[in-house]
Amino acid sequence: MTWAIPCPAQSFLTIAGSDDHFPVRRIYCVGQNYAAHAREMGSNPDQEPPFFFSKPADALVADGATVPYPPGTDSLHHEAELVVAIGVGGAGIARDAALDHVWGYAVGNDLTRRDIQASAKKIGRPWDMAKGFDHSAPCGLLHPVSVTGHLTSGAISLTVNGETRQSSNLSDLIWPVADVIAYLSSLVALAPGDLIFTGTPEGVGPLVPGDQCVVEIEGLGQLTTQIGDKTG
Ligand code: MN
Protein backbone atom coordinates (compact mmCIF):
# COMPACT_ATOMS: atom_id res chain seq x y z
CA MET A 1 0.00 0.00 0.00
CA THR A 2 1.17 3.51 -0.74
CA TRP A 3 -0.05 6.73 0.86
CA ALA A 4 -1.27 9.83 -0.96
CA ILE A 5 0.31 12.09 1.65
CA PRO A 6 3.02 11.42 4.25
CA CYS A 7 1.63 9.39 7.19
CA PRO A 8 1.05 11.44 10.35
CA ALA A 9 3.75 10.99 12.98
CA GLN A 10 3.14 8.39 15.70
CA SER A 11 2.62 10.04 19.10
CA PHE A 12 4.59 8.47 21.92
CA LEU A 13 5.79 8.72 25.51
CA THR A 14 9.40 8.31 26.57
CA ILE A 15 9.89 5.48 29.06
CA ALA A 16 11.91 6.08 32.22
CA GLY A 17 15.08 4.00 32.34
CA SER A 18 14.64 2.51 28.87
CA ASP A 19 15.52 3.18 25.24
CA ASP A 20 12.04 1.95 24.25
CA HIS A 21 9.19 4.33 23.55
CA PHE A 22 5.48 3.86 24.22
CA PRO A 23 3.25 4.49 21.18
CA VAL A 24 0.05 6.39 22.02
CA ARG A 25 -3.27 5.55 20.35
CA ARG A 26 -5.97 7.54 22.15
CA ILE A 27 -6.10 9.91 25.11
CA TYR A 28 -9.12 9.66 27.40
CA CYS A 29 -9.73 11.93 30.37
CA VAL A 30 -11.97 11.60 33.43
CA GLY A 31 -13.95 14.64 34.56
CA GLN A 32 -14.29 15.69 38.20
CA ASN A 33 -12.70 12.70 39.90
CA TYR A 34 -11.75 14.41 43.16
CA ALA A 35 -14.64 15.53 45.39
CA ALA A 36 -13.21 18.95 46.26
CA HIS A 37 -12.56 19.76 42.58
CA ALA A 38 -16.07 18.60 41.59
CA ARG A 39 -17.46 21.00 44.20
CA GLU A 40 -15.27 23.90 42.99
CA MET A 41 -16.70 23.29 39.49
CA GLY A 42 -20.26 23.43 40.84
CA SER A 43 -21.10 19.71 40.85
CA ASN A 44 -22.15 17.25 43.53
CA PRO A 45 -19.53 14.48 43.65
CA ASP A 46 -21.79 12.19 45.67
CA GLN A 47 -24.42 11.68 43.00
CA GLU A 48 -22.74 11.51 39.62
CA PRO A 49 -21.03 8.58 37.84
CA PRO A 50 -17.64 9.17 36.14
CA PHE A 51 -17.75 10.90 32.78
CA PHE A 52 -15.15 11.03 30.02
CA PHE A 53 -13.81 13.26 27.28
CA SER A 54 -10.87 12.97 24.87
CA LYS A 55 -7.81 14.74 23.58
CA PRO A 56 -6.11 13.97 20.27
CA ALA A 57 -2.97 11.86 20.64
CA ASP A 58 -0.89 14.51 18.89
CA ALA A 59 -1.74 17.01 21.67
CA LEU A 60 0.97 15.34 23.80
CA VAL A 61 3.81 17.57 25.00
CA ALA A 62 6.99 16.15 26.51
CA ASP A 63 8.56 17.09 29.82
CA GLY A 64 10.48 20.36 29.71
CA ALA A 65 8.81 21.68 26.57
CA THR A 66 7.21 25.08 26.03
CA VAL A 67 3.47 25.24 25.32
CA PRO A 68 2.53 28.27 23.25
CA TYR A 69 -0.32 30.14 24.99
CA PRO A 70 -3.27 28.83 22.94
CA PRO A 71 -5.49 30.98 20.75
CA GLY A 72 -9.17 31.58 21.51
CA THR A 73 -8.88 31.92 25.29
CA ASP A 74 -8.05 34.34 28.06
CA SER A 75 -8.24 31.60 30.69
CA LEU A 76 -5.76 28.76 30.20
CA HIS A 77 -5.95 26.52 33.30
CA HIS A 78 -3.63 23.86 34.71
CA GLU A 79 -4.91 20.48 35.99
CA ALA A 80 -2.44 18.13 37.72
CA GLU A 81 -3.32 14.51 36.94
CA LEU A 82 -2.14 10.91 37.23
CA VAL A 83 -1.95 9.34 33.76
CA VAL A 84 -2.51 5.61 33.22
CA ALA A 85 -1.03 3.87 30.16
CA ILE A 86 -2.90 0.80 28.91
CA GLY A 87 -0.73 -2.14 27.82
CA VAL A 88 -3.41 -4.80 27.35
CA GLY A 89 -6.67 -3.90 25.65
CA GLY A 90 -10.17 -5.10 26.33
CA ALA A 91 -13.87 -4.31 26.48
CA GLY A 92 -16.13 -4.86 29.46
CA ILE A 93 -13.12 -5.29 31.73
CA ALA A 94 -14.03 -6.45 35.24
CA ARG A 95 -12.94 -4.22 38.09
CA ASP A 96 -11.01 -7.06 39.73
CA ALA A 97 -8.94 -7.61 36.56
CA ALA A 98 -8.61 -3.97 35.53
CA LEU A 99 -5.15 -3.28 36.92
CA ASP A 100 -3.74 -6.18 34.87
CA HIS A 101 -4.34 -3.96 31.80
CA VAL A 102 -2.04 -1.17 33.07
CA TRP A 103 1.41 -0.85 31.47
CA GLY A 104 2.57 2.11 33.51
CA TYR A 105 1.95 5.52 35.03
CA ALA A 106 3.00 9.09 34.26
CA VAL A 107 2.50 12.65 35.47
CA GLY A 108 0.13 14.74 33.33
CA ASN A 109 -1.30 18.23 33.01
CA ASP A 110 -4.79 18.44 31.48
CA LEU A 111 -4.51 21.96 30.06
CA THR A 112 -7.95 23.53 29.68
CA ARG A 113 -9.38 26.64 28.03
CA ARG A 114 -11.65 27.31 31.02
CA ASP A 115 -13.60 30.16 29.43
CA ILE A 116 -14.52 28.02 26.40
CA GLN A 117 -15.46 25.14 28.73
CA ALA A 118 -17.66 27.42 30.84
CA SER A 119 -19.59 28.74 27.84
CA ALA A 120 -19.91 25.20 26.40
CA LYS A 121 -21.35 23.95 29.70
CA LYS A 122 -23.81 26.82 29.84
CA ILE A 123 -25.31 26.12 26.42
CA GLY A 124 -24.87 22.33 26.42
CA ARG A 125 -22.21 22.15 23.71
CA PRO A 126 -19.23 19.73 23.50
CA TRP A 127 -15.97 20.32 25.38
CA ASP A 128 -13.64 19.43 22.49
CA MET A 129 -12.29 22.92 21.86
CA ALA A 130 -11.92 23.50 25.63
CA LYS A 131 -9.91 20.32 26.19
CA GLY A 132 -8.57 18.92 22.92
CA PHE A 133 -6.59 21.82 21.50
CA ASP A 134 -3.00 21.69 20.20
CA HIS A 135 -0.37 21.12 22.93
CA SER A 136 -3.09 20.50 25.54
CA ALA A 137 -1.64 17.28 26.96
CA PRO A 138 1.76 17.68 28.66
CA CYS A 139 2.82 14.26 29.95
CA GLY A 140 6.07 13.22 31.62
CA LEU A 141 8.17 10.07 31.49
CA LEU A 142 6.22 6.82 31.52
CA HIS A 143 7.13 4.59 34.47
CA PRO A 144 6.51 0.84 34.02
CA VAL A 145 4.21 -0.67 36.58
CA SER A 146 6.79 -3.42 36.98
CA VAL A 147 8.97 -0.76 38.64
CA THR A 148 6.46 1.47 40.43
CA GLY A 149 3.75 -1.00 41.41
CA HIS A 150 0.17 0.28 41.30
CA LEU A 151 -0.37 3.80 42.56
CA THR A 152 -3.31 3.86 44.94
CA SER A 153 -1.97 6.62 47.17
CA GLY A 154 0.77 9.24 47.13
CA ALA A 155 1.09 13.00 47.00
CA ILE A 156 0.05 14.87 43.84
CA SER A 157 0.91 18.55 43.61
CA LEU A 158 1.32 21.43 41.19
CA THR A 159 3.30 24.63 41.45
CA VAL A 160 3.36 27.73 39.26
CA ASN A 161 6.62 29.69 39.46
CA GLY A 162 7.37 27.81 42.68
CA GLU A 163 4.06 28.63 44.38
CA THR A 164 1.86 25.65 45.30
CA ARG A 165 -1.53 25.73 43.60
CA GLN A 166 -2.71 22.11 43.90
CA SER A 167 -1.88 19.64 46.65
CA SER A 168 -3.76 16.41 47.24
CA ASN A 169 -3.35 12.65 47.40
CA LEU A 170 -4.17 9.92 44.88
CA SER A 171 -6.12 8.21 47.66
CA ASP A 172 -8.72 10.99 47.26
CA LEU A 173 -9.72 9.81 43.77
CA ILE A 174 -13.50 9.23 43.78
CA TRP A 175 -13.08 6.53 41.11
CA PRO A 176 -9.72 4.76 41.56
CA VAL A 177 -7.79 3.55 38.50
CA ALA A 178 -9.43 0.09 38.49
CA ASP A 179 -12.91 1.63 38.53
CA VAL A 180 -11.98 4.09 35.77
CA ILE A 181 -10.73 1.28 33.51
CA ALA A 182 -13.77 -0.91 34.20
CA TYR A 183 -16.21 1.94 33.57
CA LEU A 184 -14.47 3.34 30.48
CA SER A 185 -14.13 -0.13 28.94
CA SER A 186 -17.90 -0.58 29.31
CA LEU A 187 -18.28 2.31 26.87
CA VAL A 188 -15.38 1.77 24.42
CA ALA A 189 -12.90 -1.02 23.75
CA LEU A 190 -9.53 -0.09 25.21
CA ALA A 191 -6.37 -0.96 23.26
CA PRO A 192 -2.63 -0.99 23.92
CA GLY A 193 -1.36 2.56 23.67
CA ASP A 194 -4.38 4.25 25.22
CA LEU A 195 -3.76 6.83 27.93
CA ILE A 196 -6.23 7.86 30.61
CA PHE A 197 -5.86 11.19 32.43
CA THR A 198 -7.59 10.34 35.72
CA GLY A 199 -8.81 13.77 36.86
CA THR A 200 -7.48 16.68 38.88
CA PRO A 201 -7.78 17.70 42.53
CA GLU A 202 -8.96 21.10 43.70
CA GLY A 203 -6.98 24.29 43.14
CA VAL A 204 -7.12 24.63 39.36
CA GLY A 205 -6.21 28.09 38.12
CA PRO A 206 -4.80 30.26 35.36
CA LEU A 207 -1.45 30.12 33.57
CA VAL A 208 0.00 33.10 31.70
CA PRO A 209 2.90 33.52 29.26
CA GLY A 210 6.22 33.16 31.05
CA ASP A 211 4.90 30.82 33.76
CA GLN A 212 6.72 27.64 34.71
CA CYS A 213 4.28 24.92 35.81
CA VAL A 214 5.57 21.83 37.63
CA VAL A 215 3.38 18.80 38.40
CA GLU A 216 4.76 16.19 40.78
CA ILE A 217 3.45 12.79 41.84
CA GLU A 218 5.14 10.75 44.54
CA GLY A 219 7.01 7.90 42.86
CA LEU A 220 6.77 9.36 39.34
CA GLY A 221 8.84 12.53 39.61
CA GLN A 222 8.07 15.85 37.97
CA LEU A 223 6.59 17.23 34.75
CA THR A 224 7.76 20.75 33.91
CA THR A 225 5.99 22.91 31.34
CA GLN A 226 6.81 26.47 30.27
CA ILE A 227 4.03 28.69 28.95
CA GLY A 228 5.11 30.58 25.86
CA ASP A 229 3.78 33.61 24.06
CA LYS A 230 0.25 33.72 22.74
CA THR A 231 -0.17 32.35 19.21
CA GLY A 232 -2.87 32.88 16.63
MN1 MN B 1 -8.90 17.12 33.99
Side-chain angles (χ1 to χ4, degrees):
M1 183 160 57
T2 58
W3 303 107
I5 59 168
C7 280
Q10 173 66 54
S11 292
F12 65 91
L13 294 180
T14 299
I15 298 169
S18 170
D19 292 331
D20 285 345
H21 294 80
F22 185 89
V24 173
R25 188 185 79 124
R26 294 179 182 173
I27 303 176
Y28 294 103
C29 306
V30 186
Q32 299 179 1
N33 200 14
Y34 290 80
H37 173 62
R39 290 191 194 98
E40 79 179 351
M41 300 306 288
S43 299
N44 181 345
D46 300 325
Q47 291 182 351
E48 296 171 21
F51 66 94
F52 301 91
F53 55 90
S54 299
K55 291 174 185 273
D58 69 356
L60 282 173
V61 176
D63 179 42
T66 296
V67 167
Y69 194 97
T73 185
D74 293 310
S75 185
L76 175 68
H77 271 209
H78 55 75
E79 296 193 354
E81 307 205 0
L82 171 69
V83 178
V84 179
I86 297 295
V88 178
I93 296 167
R95 190 191 178 287
D96 289 350
L99 293 182
D100 296 340
H101 294 256
V102 175
W103 195 91
Y105 295 97
V107 179
N109 193 346
D110 168 18
L111 294 178
T112 301
R113 295 195 276 211
R114 193 70 72 198
D115 42 3
I116 292 180
Q117 184 193 36
S119 56
K121 280 182 177 178
K122 197 179 297 178
I123 55 178
R125 286 191 179 157
W127 287 11
D128 300 54
M129 292 300 110
K131 290 290 195 176
F133 54 94
D134 296 338
H135 316 290
S136 60
C139 189
L141 290 178
L142 179 59
H143 295 257
V145 71
S146 58
V147 174
T148 60
H150 288 291
L151 301 184
T152 54
S153 66
I156 176 170
S157 63
L158 181 146
T159 64
V160 178
N161 305 325
E163 178 188 318
T164 299
R165 295 269 190 91
Q166 296 185 267
S167 181
S168 187
N169 196 290
L170 300 177
S171 60
D172 287 344
L173 281 166
I174 297 170
W175 304 95
V177 171
D179 293 78
V180 167
I181 290 171
Y183 208 98
L184 180 57
S185 75
S186 77
L187 298 169
V188 291
L190 295 176
D194 289 344
L195 303 182
I196 307 170
F197 281 58
T198 56
T200 196
E202 69 278 16
V204 299
L207 294 165
V208 298
D211 279 349
Q212 177 173 272
C213 186
V214 179
V215 188
E216 182 164 2
I217 295 176
E218 198 176 337
L220 298 179
Q222 295 184 339
L223 164 66
T224 299
T225 304
Q226 317 281 341
I227 305 302
D229 290 337
K230 188 159 189 168
T231 57

